[in-house]
Amino acid sequence: MYKKTILLVDDEPNTRRGITKTLESWSEGRFSILSAENGREALDYAKQYRIHLLVTDISMPEMDGLELLRSLKAEQQSLVAVVLSAYSEFDYAQEALRLGVVNYLLKPASKRMLIEAVEEALQIEEERTKVKTITRIADARLMDVQEKTLAAGPVKQAMHYIDQHIEHPLSLKEVAEHVHLNPNYFSMLFKEQANMTFSEYVTRARLQEAKSLLIKTNLSIEEVAERVGYSTSKYFIKIFKEFEGITPSKYKKVK
């Protein structure tokens, strides 16, 4: 599993070193800790790495913390942020909250307060990531069909069988035999109850599993294709692009 990245931004060298040391000690190698001395340098990091948590000072030369947050938001960076500030003015805090900051700490913050704020922010980031992942993976039509199809019966049994054997060829004849129905009757019944053909259901189920593997694993496109029942990656890529509008490799790179 890759490490999540925490980026600290503070123009005061001693503060930056102290907080970095605190975070590295707390992290025990679980997270990558980066530090930048201003907003410009932080933006450069954001272009090179996926930043999961930003811990930033407000008052900095060249680009302050709020400007940095606005720039990251404009670039659609889906990170969470904790703000450090020597200022307690309401306007600062209010603007920070509008920009999605999950905690606002006044300097000097104790190690305990800093770590608690970081842990809380990472929990929020984890939950947001889960929701985003589910949203990206889920095929709305497939989910609707699975929810609305009768709780019991041959079509529901067939769906379960397909989902459990997604890596296999899965012919209509094979699945019909599994639920003890004539293939022609099974095909008609499936389309009537699922409001989609057997073939479309199998394709959507394969692609939903493929999206999950692309996001959650480091498997190659060829390996993903094989895991979801496609004999060639070329055909898998063609079908994926037809349904998703982009290739599997580009889908995998989307943050």
Side-chain angles (χ1 to χ4, degrees), residues 48-144:
Q48 299 174 57
Y49 305 95
R50 180 183 173 189
I51 308 301
H52 298 83
L53 170 60
L54 175 72
V55 180
T56 183
D57 188 17
I58 285 279
S59 180
M60 296 182 291
E62 293 189 49
M63 176 184 280
D64 66 27
L66 295 181
E67 260 189 283
L68 171 60
L69 285 165
R70 289 188 202 102
S71 297
L72 290 171
K73 193 171 183 179
E75 292 177 12
Q76 298 183 325
Q77 289 277 351
S78 57
L79 48 72
V80 294
V82 172
V83 160
L84 300 170
S85 178
Y87 304 95
S88 60
E89 281 90 340
F90 179 70
D91 287 346
Y92 279 105
Q94 194 176 41
E95 176 67 5
L97 290 171
R98 275 199 297 268
L99 292 168
V101 170
V102 298
N103 214 321
Y104 189 103
L105 299 178
L106 289 177
K107 286 183 173 183
S110 67
K111 288 182 180 181
R112 180 183 62 80
M113 288 180 67
L114 173 66
I115 289 169
E116 283 180 358
V118 165
E119 289 177 339
E120 181 185 351
L122 286 168
Q123 285 179 356
I124 292 169
E125 190 277 335
E126 184 72 24
E127 289 303 313
R128 287 181 183 176
T129 299
K130 283 179 183 177
V131 171
K132 185 179 178 182
T133 300
I134 290 168
T135 302
R136 281 189 67 198
I137 292 171
D139 181 318
R141 190 160 178 217
L142 191 67
M143 302 291 281
D144 187 56

Side-chain angles (χ1 to χ4, degrees), residues 135-251:
T135 302
R136 281 189 67 198
I137 292 171
D139 181 318
R141 190 160 178 217
L142 191 67
M143 302 291 281
D144 187 56
V145 165
Q146 290 170 337
E147 287 175 9
K148 288 183 178 178
T149 303
L150 297 175
V155 173
K156 194 70 174 181
Q157 290 172 33
M159 288 178 177
H160 180 71
Y161 183 83
I162 292 165
D163 295 342
Q164 294 299 309
H165 298 81
I166 206 71
E167 73 278 14
H168 299 303
L170 289 171
S171 68
L172 185 145
K173 185 173 181 291
E174 173 197 344
V175 179
E177 286 176 356
H178 176 73
V179 297
H180 311 294
L181 290 177
N182 171 279
N184 289 334
Y185 176 70
F186 169 69
S187 176
M188 180 187 69
L189 186 67
F190 194 99
K191 187 174 181 180
E192 182 182 289
Q193 292 192 6
N195 200 29
M196 70 172 68
T197 64
F198 169 84
S199 176
E200 183 181 352
Y201 182 89
V202 172
T203 299
R204 287 181 179 275
R206 290 194 199 285
L207 294 181
Q208 183 167 265
E209 178 62 18
K211 287 188 286 184
S212 178
L213 293 172
L214 288 167
I215 291 175
K216 297 178 182 178
T217 74
N218 291 318
L219 293 173
S220 67
I221 303 303
E222 291 75 15
E223 288 170 324
V224 170
E226 186 178 346
R227 289 277 190 98
V228 298
Y230 288 100
S231 56
T232 69
S233 59
K234 185 177 179 180
Y235 184 64
F236 165 62
I237 293 167
K238 176 179 178 292
I239 295 297
F240 192 98
K241 192 172 181 181
E242 279 181 18
F243 276 78
E244 300 300 323
I246 58 173
T247 62
S249 58
K250 284 184 179 177
Y251 181 91

